[in-house]
């Protein structure tokens, strides 16, 4: 569908929807178009705006609301999460932003089998789960000693 902005010779503007530009030309030639305000069939195209269905835009990472501050986490839970962090840091390799890449390599047998940790976007995590990679999201709290 194409949406045309139409204008009659009296200057009234209105929109018209057509299956394509040929349909507009055909209807205009046969004087089938008329101004809804004054009824004249002397109608021309003002400008054209193709109607394109676009996917809803993804909310950028930075536009998402910030996670609750650490202070809101009960102390016992915080301590437990700090132990998780410590456990991971002691036993796994920090691959930083390359987490998704490395996890996939290990999963496919291209990388040395080892425990890794790092950062990954939500999209990357979804992809890894689809690939059947075992991953776990860990709330990364500040260290107990830092
Ligand atoms: Zn008119």
């Amino acid at each position: 569908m194409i949406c045309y902005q139409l204008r009659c010779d009296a200057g009234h503007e209105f929109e018209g929807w057509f299956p394509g530009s040929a349909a507009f030309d055909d209807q205009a030639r046969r004087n089938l178009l008329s101004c809804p305000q004054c009824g004249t069939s002397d109608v021309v195209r003002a400008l054209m705006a193709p109607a394109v269905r676009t996917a809803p835009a993804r909310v950028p990472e930075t536009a998402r609301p910030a996670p609750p501050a650490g202070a809101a986490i009960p102390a016992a839970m915080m301590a437990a999460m700090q132990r998780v962090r410590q456990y991971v840091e002691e036993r796994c390799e920090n691959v930083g932003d390359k987490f998704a890449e490395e996890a996939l390599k290990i999963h496919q047998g291209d990388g040395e089998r080892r425990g890794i940790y790092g950062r990954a976007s939500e999209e990357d995590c979804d992809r890894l789960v689809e690939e059947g990679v075992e991953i776990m999201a860990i709330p990364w709290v500040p260290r107990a000693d830092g």
Side-chain angles (χ1 to χ4, degrees):
M1 292 291 284
I2 295 178
C3 177
Y4 286 136
Q5 187 73 27
L6 306 174
R7 192 188 312 154
C8 78
D9 62 351
H12 303 130
E13 291 203 356
F14 55 100
E15 283 184 351
W17 289 85
F18 304 91
S21 58
F24 167 82
D25 292 341
D26 182 55
Q27 289 184 37
R29 198 172 50 242
R30 293 195 286 156
N31 286 337
L32 294 177
L33 301 170
S34 60
C35 171
Q37 288 186 60
C38 66
T40 179
S41 59
D42 206 346
V43 171
V44 295
R45 231 162 73 184
L47 59 91
M48 154 178 132
V52 180
R53 190 184 287 273
T54 55
R58 280 191 82 92
V59 181
E61 213 70 43
T62 49
R64 291 197 182 135
I73 303 172
M77 200 184 280
M78 180 65 111
M81 289 191 290
Q82 280 168 339
R83 280 198 298 277
V84 171
R85 173 175 177 161
Q86 194 186 349
Y87 179 95
V88 169
E89 282 179 332
E90 282 169 5
R91 291 164 180 80
C92 306
E93 182 189 335
N94 184 2
V95 293
D97 290 329
K98 289 194 185 314
F99 179 80
E101 197 181 309
E102 286 298 317
L104 204 57
K105 265 194 215 165
I106 294 168
H107 180 70
Q108 292 169 342
D110 295 335
E112 181 201 338
R113 276 198 80 84
R114 66 203 194 278
I116 59 169
Y117 70 99
R119 285 180 301 276
S121 67
E122 215 172 294
E123 246 167 74
D124 283 338
C125 290
D126 287 348
R127 212 179 67 230
L128 289 172
V129 170
E130 270 171 37
E131 293 281 341
V133 183
E134 278 180 51
I135 57 168
M136 195 166 61
I138 301 169
W140 208 242
V141 293
R143 299 164 70 113
D145 58 11

